Amino acid sequence: MKKGNYLFTSESVTEGHPDKIADRISDAILDEILKQDSEARVACEVMITTGVVYVTGEITTSAYVDIPKVVRREIEEIGYTDCDIGLDANTCGVIVSIDEQSSDISEGVTNALETRDEGVKQKTGAGDQGIMFGYACKQTEELMPLPIVLAHKLAKRLTETRKQLELEGNSPLRPDGKTQVTVEYQDGKPKKVDTIVISTQHTENVTQEKLEELLKLEVIEKVIDSDLIKEDTKILINPSGRFVTGGPKGDVGLTGRKIIVDTYGGWSRHGGGSLSTKDATKVDRSATYMARYIAKNVVAAGIAEECEVQLAYAIGKAEPVSIFVDTFGTSELKDEEIVKIVRKVFKLDPDGIIEQLDLRKPIFKETSAYGHFGRDIFSWEQTDKVQELKELIK
C-alpha cells in the first residue's frame, strides 16, 4: 500500500467513441456467431473512419452471419444516423475481408501439448502465448480502484443523458465523449476527487455555459458522491472549447486500442493484449477474466486487502506456464501460499476457464463499453469461491 499523499487519474470513453464503436461491432459479430456455433473460433478486427467500416480477421465457424447488417445495426443503436454527426449507419460503406484461423494454430488449440499422446483425452490449448493480469482491492464495493469506477460511471451517465434528451427531441449532446477522474489519496485511501474532466461532442449552436450547466446537474451530481467533491475540486468541461466534429469523422477507430480503459484504468498492470474481438479460446480474453475472478475472490474472502494475479500461457499448451500473486503486503499469508491455494480452487486451462465462467454464450457485446470489470452482470465478477478459499486457509 503506497504511503503519503498522492494523485491518481483514470479515464473512460463513451460507446460513441470511435475505438469503442469498433470494439462493439467486433463483439456484436462474435455474439451473433456464438448464437449459432458455440465452438466457433473468432478474431474479428474492425477499423472505422469517415463513411467506411472495415471488418477483417480470422473466423472459423459453421454459422452464417450477415456482417454488414450487424455493423449497421450497432452503429444505429449507438446513435450515428447522420453524416453530420460523424457517421450514417444507413449509408456508410462496409468492407468485409475474413479468413479462417490458421490450420497450424487451430491444430494446437484443438489438441493441447499435454494431450497429444495417443489414447489421451484431448484438451484445448491456449490460443496464443501471453501474460494476463487481474486485480481487485477494497477501495469500492465493486472491489475496483475508485478512479476508473467513477470515470466509467460518468461516461455511462453521459450516454444515458444524451439518449434521454434525444427521446425528448432537444439533445445538445452527440455520441462521442470522454471522461477522466483524478482522485487524491492519503496512505492508500481515497480522500477526495481532485479533478473531473468531461469532453463531449455537441451540436453547433449550444453554448459552453449551457453544456457546463447540463453536465454538472445531470451527469456529475448524479454519479459522484457529494462527500468526495470539495470546494477546491476542479471541474473541466470541454476544456478544448469546442467539440462539434467527432466520432469516426473526427478520428479513426480501431479494436483493442482502449485496453487500459477496459481494465483497471492504469492502476494495475496489463499484459498488453486486447480483450474485445476474441472468442474464449484466446487466453488474452478468457485468462484476463479468470485472473480478475481469482483476485476478486481472494479479496472478497478477506485473504488480502489488495491482490494482483498474473497468468502466463504458451500457445498450444493447456496449463499456464506460471502463476504470480502479489498482495502488496496486505495479507497475513505469503504470496506463494496463495498461489498454491489458487491452483487447488481454480481451473486454469482454457477448457476449465470456459466451463467455470460460462464463456460459450453470446455475452460479449455488453463488455465493449464502460469496462470489462466491476460490473456484476458478468460471470467473472462472481464471488462464489469465497467459502472454499476460507476453508483452505484454515
Side-chain angles (χ1 to χ4, degrees):
M1 184 179 295
K2 184 176 172 61
K3 297 295 184 181
N5 190 275
Y6 55 92
L7 302 175
F8 193 89
T9 303
S10 294
E11 71 158 345
S12 183
V13 297
T14 65
E15 63 192 43
H17 185 281
D19 294 329
K20 280 295 152 199
I21 304 171
D23 283 344
R24 175 162 169 163
I25 291 170
S26 294
D27 279 338
I29 292 169
L30 170 60
D31 280 354
E32 291 300 323
I33 291 170
L34 291 175
K35 288 176 183 178
Q36 302 175 46
D37 178 11
S38 63
E39 302 292 325
R41 304 273 174 80
V42 180
C44 179
E45 309 287 345
V46 172
M47 182 178 79
I48 185 166
T49 186
T50 306
V52 186
V53 181
Y54 299 88
V55 182
T56 187
E58 297 79 43
I59 299 177
T60 301
T61 182
S62 60
Y64 170 75
V65 172
D66 186 339
I67 290 177
K69 184 177 180 180
V70 174
V71 170
R72 296 182 190 282
R73 180 193 71 201
E74 297 307 318
I75 293 172
E76 183 175 11
E77 286 183 5
I78 291 169
Y80 285 109
T81 56
D82 191 313
C83 292
D84 290 338
I85 297 174
L87 193 68
D88 187 336
N90 297 309
T91 62
C92 67
V94 180
I95 299 172
V96 180
S97 179
I98 301 290
D99 289 320
E100 291 187 340
Q101 185 180 53
S102 157
S103 59
D104 295 335
I105 295 175
S106 178
E107 184 177 344
V109 174
T110 301
N111 190 9
L113 178 64
E114 296 94 326
T115 58
R116 289 179 196 159
D117 293 335
E118 189 174 344
V120 178
K121 183 181 178 182
Q122 290 187 0
K123 295 180 73 174
T124 300
D128 202 350
Q129 73 172 48
I131 57 174
M132 299 85 203
F133 286 93
Y135 178 81
C137 64
K138 288 193 172 180
Q139 288 186 34
T140 62
E141 63 180 17
E142 297 90 350
L143 301 186
M144 289 281 288
L146 181 61
I148 190 64
V149 168
L150 294 180
H152 282 323
K153 287 182 177 180
L154 286 172
K156 193 169 189 294
R157 178 62 188 171
L158 179 60
T159 296
E160 291 168 350
T161 301
R162 168 180 63 86
K163 290 184 175 181
Q164 181 58 44
L165 292 174
E166 284 175 348
L167 288 174
E168 297 170 6
N170 61 344
S171 178
L173 307 176
R174 293 294 181 254
D176 196 358
K178 288 185 173 185
T179 62
Q180 186 170 284
V181 177
T182 301
V183 174
E184 181 180 337
Y185 287 81
Q186 181 65 49
D187 295 333
K189 304 294 184 183
K191 184 178 177 183
K192 69 171 186 177
V193 171
D194 180 84
T195 306
I196 299 167
V197 182
I198 300 179
S199 294
T200 180
Q201 185 186 9
H202 56 83
T203 56
E204 179 80 40
N205 57 359
V206 68
T207 65
Q208 178 73 14
E209 292 73 22
K210 175 67 174 176
L211 274 179
E212 290 183 5
E213 179 186 354
L214 174 65
L215 297 188
K216 286 177 182 178
L217 181 64
E218 295 297 332
V219 178
I220 295 172
E221 291 182 14
K222 300 285 187 183
V223 166
I224 299 184
D225 193 313
S226 58
D227 291 342
L228 288 170
I229 298 180
K230 308 299 182 182
E231 288 186 5
D232 58 348
T233 296
K234 297 173 282 295
I235 297 176
L236 305 175
I237 293 175
N238 279 18
S240 67
R242 179 180 168 88
F243 189 0
V244 174
T245 301
K249 190 175 180 180
D251 193 10
V252 172
L254 295 171
T255 48
R257 198 159 62 175
K258 285 290 177 285
I259 56 176
I260 302 304
V261 169
D262 287 341
T263 51
Y264 306 100
W267 187 278
S268 172
R269 285 172 282 196
H270 194 293
S274 167
L275 303 182
S276 290
T277 83
K278 300 165 183 174
D279 74 272
T281 64
K282 280 74 168 175
V283 285
D284 272 346
R285 178 169 223 157
S286 56
T288 301
Y289 293 164
M290 176 53 72
R292 162 65 176 172
Y293 182 51
I294 294 168
K296 187 174 183 181
N297 276 271
V298 166
V299 171
I303 296 172
E305 293 283 315
E306 185 178 9
C307 181
E308 184 179 72
V309 176
Q310 185 206 58
L311 303 175
Y313 291 83
I315 189 169
K317 189 176 185 302
E319 294 295 330
V321 298
S322 70
I323 305 170
F324 171 80
V325 170
D326 190 348
T327 56
F328 307 95
T330 65
S331 177
E332 294 181 2
L333 295 178
K334 294 180 179 179
D335 290 338
E336 55 265 35
E337 293 174 333
I338 298 174
V339 170
K340 291 177 182 177
I341 293 170
V342 165
R343 288 186 182 275
K344 291 179 181 178
V345 174
F346 300 92
K347 297 176 183 177
L348 301 176
D349 63 289
D351 287 332
I353 294 173
I354 290 168
E355 177 189 352
Q356 284 178 101
L357 302 183
D358 202 10
L359 298 180
R360 295 287 188 194
K361 291 182 177 179
I363 58 171
F364 296 107
K365 187 175 84 169
E366 287 298 318
T367 69
S368 64
Y370 316 118
H372 291 243
F373 306 121
R375 300 159 67 196
D376 287 341
I377 58 174
F378 302 130
S379 58
W380 49 91
E381 293 295 315
Q382 298 176 91
T383 52
D384 55 343
K385 297 294 185 181
V386 165
Q387 193 56 42
E388 191 174 352
L389 289 167
K390 287 181 175 179
E391 291 295 327
L392 281 172
I393 66 172
K394 287 180 181 178

